[in-house]
Amino acid sequence: MTNTILITEQTLNEEQFKNACEDLQNDEVKILSIRDCKLTFAKLKNILKLVESSESLLQLCLCVGIITDQRRIDLLCRTIKANRSLHALFIHGNSIGDAGMKKIAKTLLHHPTIASLDVGDCDLSDDSIETICNLLPPHGKKSGLIDLTMSSNQKITEQGWIKLSVSMAASSCLQELYLDYNMIGDLAASSMLVGLASHSQLQVLDLEGTCITDRFAELLLFLIENYPTKLLKINLEENNIKYRLLKSIKSSLLDVETESELSEQLDNASSVKSSPIYSNETSDAEPETTDETTETEVQTIEIKANPTSKNTSPKKKGQRKSKLEDTTKSSDSLWNGDELIEITEPPLISAIPTFKHFTGVNLGQKVSVSSGRGTLPEQDHSDEELKEVKQDSLC
């Protein structure tokens, strides 16, 4: 079981035909593409009969030699009329002509959801333009065409393309238009720019190999640089246009696309920040962060605190003390009245009473030295003697 059936460039045998019909009967196929195949009318009729009742099929492709005569055109029209799930119809490479296009367009006009149409290389002329123009604007609840391909219909003249341009400017939902390899020329192509400068929704335009020159390219560049447009991509390959103009057009389109993306991102960010869900999550998260920070600071204070020191206050995070204050604190921690205090953090070297500090001081007792730090004797001494020792230790 598959969501896509692709049959191309082969003769459809009995086994392939049976498998395709079974998948369509299961009503889970979304894309059916039959291209350049030798398919009898009976097999095509059976397949399209299943398409009529399908509720899952979105895209039907019958390209290159599948719709070859009036009977098959009528069969296709009947299928489109019965089906209500399709969004795209591709019949590229079938010589249906103006008469066939008129029948198919009339059926498409009443289909509720088909918005993408490919009638490229279908042997169309100016007579089909008006028929196709009727599919561009919306009709009631039905949307107009969003995606239209008319490649390689070289019987359509400049006058026909100008009519299409007028229809696009008047009322059109088109977002993508593919007109490559047609005899369009500068005048007809320039008429399309009038629609782009007004209120056109067109974002992609393919004019590859359409006989346009620098005259059209200069007008296009003038439009992009001076007027707001939704055009993001344009194909101008295989035309007589200077490289300098092509480079400038590409650069300008990139700037437009970047501004469009940036504007969309800002709109999305603004909508997220203004939503009640965003505000609630932010307000709830703040007290949790504060609690975790406070708890961490308390734990840090408990680890660094000296349990043996008297009147010891915890040092707050981010608070720095001057060198003089640190020196005084270290000296006091060495000697506090008559009590010997153990030092848990090494003070500045200048504040440590080493052995040489006590040389020549007659205290009546020896001075014990341990790891470069001096310890005073345990017996009592006069206040003046103790004061001299303490001053020496600060030198």
Side-chain angles (χ1 to χ4, degrees):
M1 188 179 298
T2 179
N3 291 332
T4 303
I5 299 177
L6 301 176
I7 305 171
T8 180
E9 297 181 357
Q10 59 182 306
T11 300
L12 193 64
N13 58 39
E14 292 298 328
E15 183 179 357
Q16 293 172 330
F17 172 71
K18 181 180 178 181
N19 292 335
C21 291
E22 288 179 354
D23 289 337
L24 286 170
Q25 285 177 340
N26 291 328
D27 202 21
E28 293 188 2
V29 177
K30 297 184 182 300
I31 299 176
L32 172 61
S33 178
I34 304 175
R35 178 186 177 87
D36 195 16
C37 292
K38 293 182 179 180
L39 187 64
T40 63
F41 179 79
K43 289 181 178 178
L44 178 63
K45 182 178 180 180
N46 289 335
I47 290 175
L48 293 183
K49 187 68 175 177
L50 295 172
V51 172
E52 291 180 11
S53 57
S54 175
E55 296 181 356
S56 63
L57 192 65
L58 302 177
Q59 181 175 307
L60 177 62
C61 308
L62 301 173
C63 297
V64 187
I66 305 300
I67 310 298
T68 55
D69 51 38
Q70 191 62 44
R71 286 202 306 166
R72 296 191 179 209
I73 292 175
D74 294 338
L75 182 61
L76 176 60
C77 291
R78 186 164 61 245
T79 300
I80 296 172
K81 186 176 181 180
N83 178 273
R84 286 295 178 268
S85 65
L86 285 173
H87 285 68
L89 175 65
F90 301 156
I91 52 176
H92 187 103
N94 294 291
S95 298
I96 60 176
D98 295 327
M101 185 69 244
K102 184 175 290 188
K103 285 187 175 182
I104 295 173
K106 185 177 180 180
T107 308
L108 290 173
L109 198 59
H110 300 285
H111 195 282
T113 56
I114 292 181
S116 181
L117 177 65
D118 183 352
V119 289
D121 197 13
C122 286
D123 197 29
L124 306 180
S125 69
D126 290 356
D127 293 337
S128 296
I129 288 294
E130 187 174 347
T131 303
I132 294 175
C133 288
N134 291 332
L135 300 175
L136 299 184
H139 294 273
K141 295 182 179 180
K142 173 182 167 52
S143 170
L145 290 179
I146 295 176
D147 183 336
L148 176 62
T149 300
M150 298 182 64
S151 311
S152 300
N153 285 295
Q154 298 189 1
K155 290 183 180 180
I156 301 177
T157 67
E158 184 181 74
Q159 186 73 8
W161 295 120
I162 292 177
K163 287 183 179 179
L164 179 65
S165 302
V166 172
S167 178
M168 290 171 52
S171 177
S172 174
C173 302
L174 273 180
Q175 296 180 11
E176 299 184 16
L177 180 61
Y178 301 89
L179 303 177
D180 46 309
Y181 299 105
N182 285 298
M183 307 296 290
I184 296 178
D186 287 330
L187 179 60
S190 299
S191 66
M192 296 178 185
L193 300 183
V194 178
L196 288 175
S198 57
H199 57 273
S200 176
Q201 303 295 313
L202 200 64
Q203 299 177 13
V204 179
L205 179 60
D206 188 352
L207 295 175
E208 180 181 1
T210 53
C211 305
I212 55 180
T213 66
D214 291 345
R215 295 178 62 187
F216 167 79
E218 289 172 354
L219 288 175
L220 175 62
L221 183 60
F222 174 77
L223 168 67
I224 298 172
E225 291 180 342
N226 295 280
Y227 297 95
T229 174
K230 294 187 177 180
L231 187 64
L232 300 177
K233 296 180 181 179
I234 184 167
N235 186 357
L236 300 176
E237 294 181 3
E238 299 192 28
N239 290 295
N240 189 19
I241 301 176
K242 293 178 182 177
Y243 175 75
R244 172 184 59 82
L245 284 173
L246 293 175
K247 187 176 180 180
S248 299
I249 291 171
K250 181 179 179 180
S251 177
S252 298
L253 286 176
L254 288 175
D255 293 340
V256 171
E257 186 174 5
T258 303
E259 290 178 2
S260 177
E261 291 177 355
L262 180 60
S263 177
E264 184 178 354
Q265 292 174 1
L266 292 175
D267 291 341
N268 292 338
S270 177
S271 62
V272 170
K273 289 183 178 181
S274 61
S275 63
I277 297 177
Y278 180 89
S279 301
N280 291 338
E281 290 180 353
T282 305
S283 60
D284 293 338
E286 287 180 354
E288 294 178 1
T289 305
T290 304
D291 293 340
E292 291 178 358
T293 305
T294 305
E295 183 178 355
T296 304
E297 290 180 356
V298 171
Q299 292 175 353
T300 304
I301 291 171
E302 289 178 354
I303 292 172
K304 290 186 177 181
N306 185 1
T308 61
S309 300
K310 292 183 179 180
N311 300 326
T312 303
S313 59
K315 182 180 180 181
K316 293 185 179 179
K317 186 177 180 180
Q319 200 172 21
R320 302 183 61 183
K321 297 182 180 298
S322 63
K323 292 183 179 180
L324 180 61
E325 186 177 356
D326 285 338
T327 303
T328 307
K329 196 77 174 180
S330 301
S331 300
D332 292 342
S333 64
L334 287 171
W335 184 257
N336 187 3
D338 298 334
E339 184 178 0
L340 182 64
I341 304 299
E342 180 183 359
I343 297 180
T344 57
E345 295 184 3
L348 296 176
I349 294 176
S350 61
I352 300 175
T354 57
F355 178 78
K356 65 181 181 179
H357 289 148
F358 297 97
T359 303
V361 179
N362 185 12
L363 299 178
Q365 295 289 339
K366 292 183 178 181
V367 177
S368 60
V369 179
S370 176
S371 301
R373 300 181 182 182
T375 56
L376 295 179
E378 298 181 358
Q379 72 180 44
D380 295 333
H381 301 281
S382 65
D383 293 338
E384 294 181 356
E385 291 175 337
L386 292 176
K387 186 175 181 181
E388 291 179 0
V389 172
K390 190 172 182 179
Q391 288 178 349
D392 289 341
S393 65
L394 295 175
C395 296

